[in-house]
Amino acid sequence: MKESQQLRTLAVDIGGSGIKVMVLDEEGNPLSDRHRLKTPHPAKPKKVIETIVTLAEQQEYERVSVGFPGVVQNGVIKTAVNLHDDWLDRNLANSLEEILSKPVKVANDADIQGFGAVSGKGVELVITLGTGFGSALFINGKLVPNLEMGHHPFRKKETYEEQLGRAAFEKHGAKKWNLRLEKAISHLDRLFSYDALLIGGGEAKQIEFDLPANAKIVPNITGLLGGIKLWS
């Protein structure tokens, strides 16, 4: 590689329903369109990794950032509630490095969405509404690791994810889901006293109520764009 050539990063976002990739330059700007394939079901490691490799084969890049829907420690998967238990204690970074022959870093998907969305000022809470309920907390741009608030109790002996995940939306409908989300936002504001709430994920489009002044919806692409921060 020539010295003047920029390092290209393949950003990967693993979701419960889809796996997306995009190539970024060193500043985190897109160099390719977003490409997507459905997440295989059951979402066991072998099939998910094969899907990532299929998407990667179509791109040119020198390194890889991966967002995974669960707790990740040093590239090792610690929770995978919306995928499969076979992920537990698997080193996804090492597995992909062996196949792709490129350096790989893996982090929680909500953390990466936050890296792509936060301003770096004050207390900023990120929540993602998709198959599950993701969360990330930033203080002056610094990540508070392993928040995983989605599996904490919310109401009626159920967690945020059980009340606000995609399954709950499909079971109870938009009206009840929106009432729950509005209540959750009120709870979270009191809990964290955040300066900003940033809402992402595929189900954010289902929001029908007026958000508080300190809350806003961020585009799904931030879940890919934030991948550049793993190399900062």
Side-chain angles (χ1 to χ4, degrees), residues 203-222:
E203 299 306 311
K205 63 180 182 292
Q206 308 291 356
I207 295 175
E208 298 175 348
F209 57 91
D210 291 332
L211 292 170
N214 63 345
K216 69 176 182 179
I217 296 173
V218 298
N220 270 345
I221 196 174
T222 57

Side-chain angles (χ1 to χ4, degrees), residues 83-99:
L83 294 183
H84 196 277
D85 286 347
D86 283 1
W87 282 102
L88 299 182
D89 294 323
R90 171 177 283 267
N91 193 317
L92 177 56
N94 284 353
S95 296
L96 284 173
E97 283 182 351
E98 290 175 4
I99 297 171

Side-chain angles (χ1 to χ4, degrees), residues 103-169:
V104 178
K105 292 189 178 184
V106 183
N108 173 265
D109 57 348
D111 292 351
I112 290 181
Q113 180 122 38
F115 283 132
V118 299
S119 69
K121 299 177 181 178
V123 178
E124 296 175 279
L125 179 66
V126 179
I127 62 172
T128 58
L129 306 170
T131 304
F133 182 99
S135 59
L137 183 66
F138 292 80
I139 300 175
N140 294 325
K142 301 288 187 180
L143 173 67
V144 178
N146 300 334
L147 184 63
E148 279 295 287
M149 190 180 61
H151 305 297
H152 291 197
F154 170 38
R155 59 187 293 271
K156 294 188 175 181
K157 297 183 179 180
E158 289 191 333
T159 64
Y160 286 92
E161 183 156 311
E162 289 171 324
Q163 291 264 307
L164 292 167
R166 185 172 293 130
F169 180 90

